[in-house]
Amino acid sequence: MSQSSQPPAFEPKVVAFCCTYCAYTAGDLAGSMRLEYAPNVRVVKILCTGKIDEVLLLRAFEDGADAVYVAGCAIGDCHFLEGNLRAIRTVRHAQQLLAEVGLEPERLEFFHVPASAGPLFAERANEMTDRARKLGKNPLRETARQNAGGKLAREPDEHPPLPEAKHGRLTRHAERVSGGLSD
Amino acid sequence: MIVAERKPLEQIEAMLEGMEKILVVGCGTCVAVCMAGGEKEVELLAAQLRMKGKLAGKKRTVDEITITRQCDNEYLDALAKYVDQYDAILSTGCGAGVQFLAQRYDDKLVLPALNTLFIGVAEEAGVWSQKCMACSDCVLDQTGGICPMTICAKNLLNGPCGGTDHGKCEVDGEKDCAWTLIYRKLEKLGRLGDLEKIQPPKDYSVMTKPRKHTHQAFQQSQQEEE
């Protein structure tokens, strides 16, 4: 077979949601240790993996990511006690949602990467990139930029006008609390 | 609260066959609390439908919006400026919400995304259980706050029956016998005497459906209007 008939090399895009206290620090350490790892990984720093939402994970795939992983603290080490445990559940649920859609759930993963584990951070980055390479391109990548809808703006609910008060003046919550919902 | 669960995605997909513009409408009340049809679930469902549409090479637009409640006309009005642009509205409200939405926008196809399950409570995170079957004639004062109409498989008002088996029900060995629970509760409250009262047969005529209810405060003014 001639060289030209080979499909162009596929470079996966991998998104890593990293907890600032552990995996992100481990990434810093990997840099300080001059460890080399796949440049395909885009790191998104988050305060705690407990903040990760299925919507964020799905949206990453909708926008064309080939693989996504969430890297959080070791069991029992979460700064917010159970954020990593919640993230594990969230990732499992998102995997089910991906399977329903028809994407391979293996494209999504949760890893424990403690702050002192620089080499592990590099290992996980390579592992996920290899996995994405094996699974092939996310079929949604081609259509990622096609607009297929989104969230509509919602007006705040309307309140009926306040009645005239005989004594003093009636106020709404928003007037008493700054930054509250406006009428 | 009303507890519901999302229908399988395949079933929703089948309903949406041939639709190009879809509006997913969430409900921010009961079904948001039971994690079936609130703002977050609507975002997830819309994202799934968009992804599935793209994977199948379909021309499909899926927009999403969540209103405070689908069972009040005031909140449905907020959708008026959007609905005309869509082929179908996919509601993640309970059965009541879907019907009210379909009634308010009666020239639109309104589809249900959820299966409505029961009136229940949250036992723990992610687990709900049925507590009330809306029988229109509450007997909880006699039964220590445990509903024999809902918890007892046979709806017995004068229990237990001969099928109680060490606190479990003969109909389903996994389920608690309501009347054992009631006995234990009344024993704890020192009100076992309540069990000696014979409950008269239930008036099932008040359970005929569909039921309609006018608040006492509004009955007079309604009559005057008539």
Side-chain angles (χ1 to χ4, degrees):
Chain A
M1 199 186 282
S2 70
Q3 195 67 30
S4 58
S5 67
Q6 293 275 327
F10 154 62
E11 276 306 321
K13 287 183 184 174
V14 181
V15 179
F17 290 99
C18 295
C19 158
T20 185
Y21 292 102
C22 52
Y24 192 83
T25 312
D28 262 351
L29 183 61
S32 307
M33 292 169 78
R34 302 284 182 267
L35 294 174
E36 202 173 314
Y37 59 89
N40 309 55
V41 175
R42 277 86 167 153
V43 175
V44 180
K45 180 176 162 179
I46 47 175
L47 263 180
C48 174
T49 51
K51 177 71 188 84
I52 276 294
D53 196 304
E54 290 93 331
V55 176
L56 279 175
L57 300 173
L58 249 60
R59 203 144 287 167
F61 287 106
E62 206 179 344
D63 289 347
D66 298 300
V68 175
Y69 65 94
V70 179
C73 303
I75 299 281
D77 279 356
C78 175
H79 276 60
F80 306 100
L81 303 179
E82 52 179 47
N84 50 354
L85 303 179
R86 289 182 189 195
I88 291 171
R89 198 163 59 205
T90 305
V91 168
R92 294 284 169 272
H93 182 216
Q95 284 174 332
Q96 291 167 6
L97 296 176
L98 283 180
E100 280 181 338
V101 166
L103 279 181
E104 300 88 345
E106 304 85 64
R107 291 184 186 273
L108 177 61
E109 198 57 85
F110 182 91
F111 294 124
H112 295 286
V113 183
S116 56
L120 185 65
F121 180 90
E123 193 183 306
R124 294 306 191 200
N126 289 333
E127 181 185 334
M128 221 45 204
T129 309
D130 286 346
R131 198 188 288 189
R133 233 183 269 279
K134 277 191 196 108
L135 287 167
K137 198 187 274 186
N138 174 4
L140 289 164
R141 210 208 264 194
E142 302 299 329
T143 52
R145 285 176 193 280
Q146 274 175 24
N147 183 22
K151 205 172 204 166
L152 298 179
R154 191 191 131 195
E155 308 284 325
D157 291 332
E158 277 182 29
H159 294 293
L162 288 171
E164 284 291 322
K166 284 187 184 145
H167 306 287
R169 191 175 68 87
L170 294 177
T171 53
R172 289 216 191 278
H173 182 69
E175 286 178 62
R176 295 191 295 273
V177 184
S178 65
L181 291 170
S182 59
D183 277 341
Chain B
M1 129 191 104
I2 309 279
V3 181
E5 65 172 356
R6 207 202 65 193
K7 282 176 178 289
L9 197 62
E10 288 74 36
Q11 200 183 340
I12 297 175
E13 272 288 325
M15 280 188 246
L16 296 173
E17 192 59 49
M19 309 286 168
E20 276 190 13
K21 290 209 77 183
I22 300 150
L23 178 63
V24 187
V25 180
C27 177
T29 307
C30 310
V31 290
V33 181
C34 68
M35 306 194 291
E39 189 166 10
K40 184 177 152 181
E41 293 74 29
V42 162
E43 278 185 51
L44 285 174
L45 177 58
Q48 277 189 297
L49 290 173
R50 279 193 291 268
M51 288 161 88
K52 217 166 162 68
K54 280 181 176 179
L55 284 174
K58 286 180 185 162
K59 190 170 175 285
R60 175 193 274 178
T61 310
V62 186
D63 288 332
E64 69 221 36
I65 190 166
T66 303
I67 56 176
T68 305
R69 265 199 292 287
Q70 291 189 13
C71 52
D72 271 321
N73 257 326
E74 288 81 353
Y75 300 118
L76 296 183
D77 289 346
L79 301 173
K81 60 180 173 186
Y82 296 121
V83 290
D84 284 343
Q85 308 155 30
Y86 296 93
D87 299 332
I89 299 176
L90 182 64
S91 162
T92 67
C94 67
V98 175
Q99 290 184 58
F100 212 39
L101 197 52
Q103 189 180 320
R104 173 71 177 76
Y105 299 105
D106 62 353
D107 52 353
K108 275 288 153 210
L109 180 64
V110 179
L111 302 165
L114 304 185
N115 288 326
T116 308
L117 303 176
F118 49 75
I119 303 177
V121 296
E123 297 274 351
E124 56 183 282
V127 181
W128 293 271
S129 65
Q130 187 177 14
K131 289 290 177 196
C132 174
M133 55 171 284
C135 73
S136 296
D137 183 17
C138 194
V139 295
L140 288 171
D141 58 322
Q142 300 291 321
T143 57
I146 294 158
C147 178
M149 290 296 285
T150 314
I151 318 286
C152 173
K154 301 177 183 176
N155 300 0
L156 290 182
L157 285 175
N158 296 287
C161 67
T164 178
D165 181 17
H166 298 91
K168 295 290 171 189
C169 175
E170 68 169 350
V171 172
D172 182 347
E174 294 285 304
K175 288 181 180 155
D176 290 328
C177 168
W179 280 96
T180 306
L181 295 176
I182 292 168
Y183 183 89
R184 299 267 176 257
K185 184 68 190 287
L186 291 177
E187 189 178 37
K188 201 171 166 183
L189 295 174
R191 295 181 64 96
L192 278 175
D194 284 2
L195 284 178
E196 285 173 17
K197 291 177 205 156
I198 304 293
Q199 294 282 343
K202 204 165 176 64
D203 180 8
Y204 283 95
S205 71
V206 295
M207 275 183 78
T208 49
K209 58 192 173 94
R211 277 170 271 178
K212 196 165 186 162
H213 168 67
T214 310
H215 190 280
Q216 206 178 3
F218 292 79
Q219 278 167 355
Q220 182 110 27
S221 58
Q222 213 170 43
Q223 279 162 5
E224 280 164 11
E225 274 173 34
E226 283 168 8

